[in-house]
Structures are given as C-alpha cells and as structure tokens.
Amino acid sequence: MAEGFDLIVVGTGFASTFYLREALAHLPPSARVLVLERGQRRTHAWQLANPSARESERKPTFTNLTPEKPWIFTLGFGGGSNCWWACTPRFLPADFAMKTRYGVGHDWPLSYDDLEPFYCEAEAAMSVAGSDAHSPVPRSKPFPLPPHRLSEPDLRLLKAFPDQFTVQPTARPTQAVGDRPACCNNGVCALCPIDSKFTVQNTMAQVYEDPRVEVRFGARVQRVDIADDVARGVDYVAKGVEMSSLGGFVAVGANAIFNPHILQRSGVSHPVLGKRLGEQVSVNVDILLDGLDNFQGSTSITGHGYMLYDGEHRRERGAALIETLNRRLLRPERGKWRQRMLLKIIVEDLPHEDSEVRPNADRPDVPDVRFGGWTPYAQKTLTELPRLLGKVLAPLPVERASILNRRNPSESHVIGTVMMGEDPETSVVDRHLRHHRVRNLAVLGASAYPTASPSNPTLTLSALSIWAARHTFSAA
Ligand SMILES: Cc1cc2nc3c(=O)[nH]c(=O)nc-3n(C[C@H](O)[C@H](O)[C@H](O)COP(=O)(O)OP(=O)(O)OC[C@H]3O[C@@H](n4cnc5c(N)ncnc54)[C@H](O)[C@@H]3O)c2cc1C
Ligand code: SF4
C-alpha cells in the first residue's frame, strides 16, 4: 500500500521552493508534504571542492539531438540557484502581451499588474538590490537593498538615457544578509566563493525543515499517476528501487526539459506539450574606450540598458536587453589597462515549433531534446546590431567597438514546453499553473512561459510560483 500525502512537490529549485513556501503558509498543521528531489544535497563547501560535478551530473540526464546548442542547469538541492548569476530584472508590462501589442508570439494569461505584488515578495525573499530612482517598470515597494555602485562608463550611459538605463537589480547583496556577506565583486558568481548571492540553500532551506515536510533526495520522479483526470500520486525511483506515493495535489517543478517529459510519461497529451523549447540569444560587444577608465562598479554586472528593448520594432525583430559587465578584462597597452568595456546584448526570440522535448521509446528515462534554431525574429536584431549600437554608444568615447562574431552558445535559460494560457485547446496549464483538466496537478517554472522576453527568467518564475500557490491553497 502506497503512503499518502496532502501535497507532493517535485524538485527543490526556485519554482518548487517558492511554491512550497507559499503552500505551507496555508496548509493546516496536520498536513503532510513529500518533496522528491532527484539530486543530492551538496553543501557550499562541497561544491567549491568539486567544481566540475555539475556538468558530469547533468550530462546523462537527456539526449541532446542538436549538441551545438547546449542546455545548462544544475541538479540537486536548490537546482539552478547553485549556479545562477543572480541577475533579477522584472519583465516589462509589454512582455506579457506580445500578441496584443505587437501581433507576434502569444499573450500571457496574466498581466504585469497581476504579478507586481508577487514580484515584491520574491525580491524580498532574495534580498534584491536595485535602484528605485531608475526603475524601468512601476513598483509598489522599494527594492529591499540599495543599488550597487555603477562604473564610470555606466554613469555616462545613465546620464544620457535616464529613462532607459538603470543599475542591474540583483540577488548579489549590497549589504550582509544573515550569514551571506555583501557581494565583493569576485566575478565568478556561478559558484560564488563567499556564498554571497542568493541560493535556496543559504536563504530558504528552512522551508524544507518545516515539520510537515519530508524530503527525499536521490528520488527521480518518473510519472504522475493520473486516472479519470485526477492526479493520484507519483511513481519514482530511489536507490534503484521503484516506489509510489499517493498525493492529494501534485506540483512538478523539474524545469522546462523534465516537466514535459514527466507529463508525457504520465499519459498527458496535448499538441503543444514539449514544444516551443527556447531561450534568448546573446552576443558580446568589446569596446575600447578613449581616455575613460572602467571597472569601478561593486558587482560583476552593473548596468542594464533598455535602449533596444521595447517599442514598435518588436513587431518584426526581437527586443534586446543590454548588460554592462564589470568583470576585469584589461587592455595590454600601458596607461590604458582599464579603458575597456564589455557589453552583453541579450535578444528575445519567438517560440519555435521545431524546438522540443520528446520521449524516446528505447530510453524512456532520458528525453530527447532538439533545437530548431533561432528564428528570423531574433536574427534580424543581431543582423541590425551594428547600426543599432550607434545610438547606444554615442555618449561614450569609443576608440573601437567590436561585436564578437560568436554567439554565446547558451543563456542558460530553459523556457517553454508546458505553455500556460486561457484556452485548453492551445495551452496545457492555466494562469495558476494548474493543468486545465487534471485540476490537482500544477506544473511550475519557466516551462509555462508563452513568450521568453529578453530579461532573465528566474525572478518572474519565482513570483509566478507564489502567485499560483496563493491562488490554489488560500482558497482550498
Ligand atoms: C550558469 C547559469 C547562470 C544563470 N544565471 C541566471 C541569472 O542570472 N538570472 C536568472 O534569472 N536566471 C539565471 N539562470 C537560470 C536559472 O538557473 C533558472 O531559470 C532556474 O534555476 C529555473 O528554476 P526552476 O526551479 O524552474 O528549475 P531548476 O532550478 O532547474 O530546478 C529543478 C529541480 O528539479 C529537480 N529535478 C529534475 N528532474 C527531476 C525528477 N524527475 N525528479 C525529481 N526532481 C527532479 C532538479 O534536480 C532541480 O533541483 C542561470 C542558469 C545557469 C545554468
Ligand atoms: S560578484 Fe563575487 S561576491 Fe558577488 S556574487 Fe559574484 S562571485 Fe559572489
């Protein structure tokens, strides 16, 4: 006889952790919650001692049919919070309504205004630092922490574009937060040596210490048991043994590669399930400055430029978010060492029908992942970049600017595959991330995004988890 729980949560990344925290705020003291995490709980010290473990743990978990396009994530307690760079922009209001505003992509079934209070809660939990004076979006609350210090070139851009340039919001704190020291600009944030950036482990581990919660590591969920449009529980493998647990509600937060695969293996079918896998595409621009020193900022990425982001151009080409990088990249010439600047231009793409996650009959545990290429929508912005950059760089004394030929192979953002929407015919989950038919099944994270936006996805998916769990459990 399988054991029973009120709630089963799959995964311990951002999506699952924020969802679970909110659910616990509404569940009764007698509730029983099971969390199943396929990876292990690795301490920060262990991760520093084993820096290559992430890649070797990730590689065997899916088959990349288009290996020129990597998909990067981290398995284990805290998921991608261990390896992320902690850049936390909000999406712009237009990002939620691309079809209505610009006739491309799909509208989200919720608006920026719907999500705004939940953005505030996610920022508070992560202790995000940012600039209230130069926010590109309306805010109902100030940032939890003051902004990082900009570099001199950043300050020139801020002066020239006061409404289109800001300090990057980030979960790399400007002051100590609990045991997390202030960010001191080591610039290797994927594994912060001083454990400064937000991770689930250093800030939200107490969610998993709630007496109602039982966590099982090394437990890989294979499928959700669904009968008569009701989720009954999950089947999983732990220590090589197949096991089952019954659950009154199941929330799957395994990321945009494994979420659709778990659903596909559960017998869920839908024309868009597994489709529209994607992310942004980015290039770097190397700028030699003439007489202006750089690198005075107080964290690894300091500025955010919105000069190429929103507007009518989005009818035909992708928006671009500009990051100014503050990691030291010195020039060799005497006296000019610091007269250099690196920008990253991150371009949105539209959902691509040929990019997908699909089951493999011969290897049912390992999904096939295929990338159909970036669409002409993103490519048009990249093609026009030399012209577009003229306006952006005009306030700076530029000796030479070179757009580096090679596109960055990955933005490390996995998006799409379990789209949300109002219409069950064209989407898999609703605005509260619940399956349209199987109402006691939620699918969390960026897999639900109808469109990607050029902005980093994680603050938004964390806010979305709080929003979804509050609507589900406060009404229960
Ligand atoms: C190098 C790098 C830098 C990044 N920087 C940024 C950034 O600066 N800003 C930003 O917004 N985003 C960034 N990201 C992206 C960010 O990490 C992801 O958007 C985020 O982690 C997604 O959260 P999630 O909870 O949906 O999924 P994940 O964090 O991937 O968590 C999924 C969890 O599910 C578990 N799991 C998977 N399959 C199963 C299964 N079958 N059974 C049980 N458990 C399972 C995994 O082990 C994991 O714990 C970065 C990513 C990388 C790799
Ligand atoms: S810049 Fe340095 S201190 Fe700050 S989060 Fe990154 S690695 Fe950590």
Side-chain angles (χ1 to χ4, degrees), residues 65-144:
L65 302 178
T66 43
E68 67 279 10
K69 172 74 189 74
W71 300 99
I72 305 173
F73 51 84
T74 294
L75 300 172
F77 185 58
S81 72
N82 295 293
C83 66
W84 79 324
W85 213 269
C87 310
T88 52
R90 296 180 176 192
F91 285 8
L92 297 195
D95 294 336
F96 295 82
M98 290 292 287
K99 187 73 178 172
T100 301
R101 293 209 190 189
Y102 303 122
V104 296
H106 312 273
D107 285 348
W108 289 43
L110 67 160
S111 67
Y112 175 84
D113 288 345
D114 288 328
L115 208 54
E116 202 283 332
F118 302 90
Y119 270 131
C120 294
E121 292 184 35
E123 286 168 343
M126 295 186 195
S127 299
V128 168
S131 165
D132 298 318
H134 297 281
S135 171
V137 284
R139 302 180 54 85
S140 61
K141 288 194 175 152
F143 279 103

Side-chain angles (χ1 to χ4, degrees), residues 123-391:
E123 286 168 343
M126 295 186 195
S127 299
V128 168
S131 165
D132 298 318
H134 297 281
S135 171
V137 284
R139 302 180 54 85
S140 61
K141 288 194 175 152
F143 279 103
L145 294 184
H148 274 283
R149 187 177 62 243
L150 291 174
S151 67
E152 288 298 324
D154 285 333
L155 288 168
R156 297 242 184 144
L157 291 171
L158 182 64
K159 190 165 177 220
F161 302 105
D163 300 326
Q164 293 182 308
F165 193 84
T166 187
V167 189
Q168 182 187 72
T170 175
R172 304 182 297 272
T174 41
Q175 303 166 356
V177 181
D179 292 339
R180 290 161 58 197
C183 168
C184 61
N185 194 14
N186 293 297
V188 285
C189 313
L191 185 49
C192 175
I194 60 169
D195 209 11
S196 170
K197 70 168 183 184
F198 168 91
T199 68
V200 167
Q201 184 141 238
N202 69 17
T203 303
M204 290 179 77
Q206 75 281 1
V207 171
Y208 297 94
E209 282 146 21
D210 187 294
R212 293 168 290 179
V213 176
E214 181 180 336
V215 189
R216 293 182 191 160
F217 292 104
R220 177 171 50 80
V221 171
Q222 296 182 292
R223 68 184 73 81
V224 182
D225 287 328
I226 299 170
D228 300 327
D229 288 343
V230 176
R232 312 278 176 184
V234 297
D235 299 337
Y236 58 101
V237 177
K239 296 189 181 140
V241 179
E242 293 203 12
M243 306 180 75
S244 297
S245 292
L246 299 174
F249 195 99
V250 177
V252 181
N255 93 20
I257 288 180
F258 302 113
N259 283 350
H261 189 235
I262 291 170
L263 262 60
Q264 287 159 341
R265 294 191 74 191
S266 310
V268 174
S269 65
H270 191 284
V272 300
L273 179 62
K275 301 276 186 187
R276 302 176 185 165
L277 172 71
E279 65 168 346
Q280 306 88 350
V281 53
S282 74
V283 291
N284 290 351
V285 182
D286 189 5
I287 301 160
L288 302 185
L289 297 166
D290 189 1
L292 179 64
D293 279 349
N294 193 13
F295 309 124
Q296 302 88 348
S298 61
T299 186
S300 55
I301 303 171
T302 41
H304 255 169
Y306 286 82
M307 299 79 109
L308 308 178
Y309 198 125
D310 199 27
E312 286 300 310
H313 59 266
R314 290 177 94 178
R315 292 186 179 281
E316 52 185 39
R317 63 172 168 79
L321 176 64
I322 302 169
E323 286 182 346
T324 64
L325 311 188
N326 190 52
R327 278 171 290 154
R328 257 81 69 197
L329 184 74
L330 301 181
R331 288 175 71 166
E333 304 101 305
R334 180 183 285 272
K336 294 194 169 190
W337 291 347
R338 292 169 57 196
Q339 294 175 23
R340 188 174 199 180
M341 187 178 194
L342 202 64
L343 305 181
K344 182 148 91 157
I345 316 288
I346 307 165
V347 181
E348 72 178 329
D349 202 0
L350 292 174
H352 195 312
E353 300 299 329
D354 291 339
S355 295
E356 61 178 343
V357 175
R358 60 187 186 207
N360 181 322
D362 296 329
R363 300 181 70 201
D365 285 344
V366 181
D368 285 346
V369 176
R370 189 162 65 93
F371 181 58
W374 285 289
T375 73
Y377 187 74
Q379 298 200 24
K380 189 168 166 55
T381 300
L382 294 175
T383 307
E384 293 188 15
L385 206 51
R387 174 181 69 78
L388 299 170
L389 274 178
K391 167 189 164 193

Side-chain angles (χ1 to χ4, degrees), residues 37-85:
E37 166 55 60
R38 77 182 285 168
Q40 300 300 327
R41 184 167 184 167
R42 311 286 200 199
T43 63
H44 181 249
W46 187 95
Q47 294 182 46
L48 284 175
N50 298 275
S52 56
R54 291 170 179 172
E55 198 174 349
S56 54
E57 286 176 347
R58 175 174 67 237
K59 269 199 171 150
T61 59
F62 68 100
T63 304
N64 193 346
L65 302 178
T66 43
E68 67 279 10
K69 172 74 189 74
W71 300 99
I72 305 173
F73 51 84
T74 294
L75 300 172
F77 185 58
S81 72
N82 295 293
C83 66
W84 79 324
W85 213 269

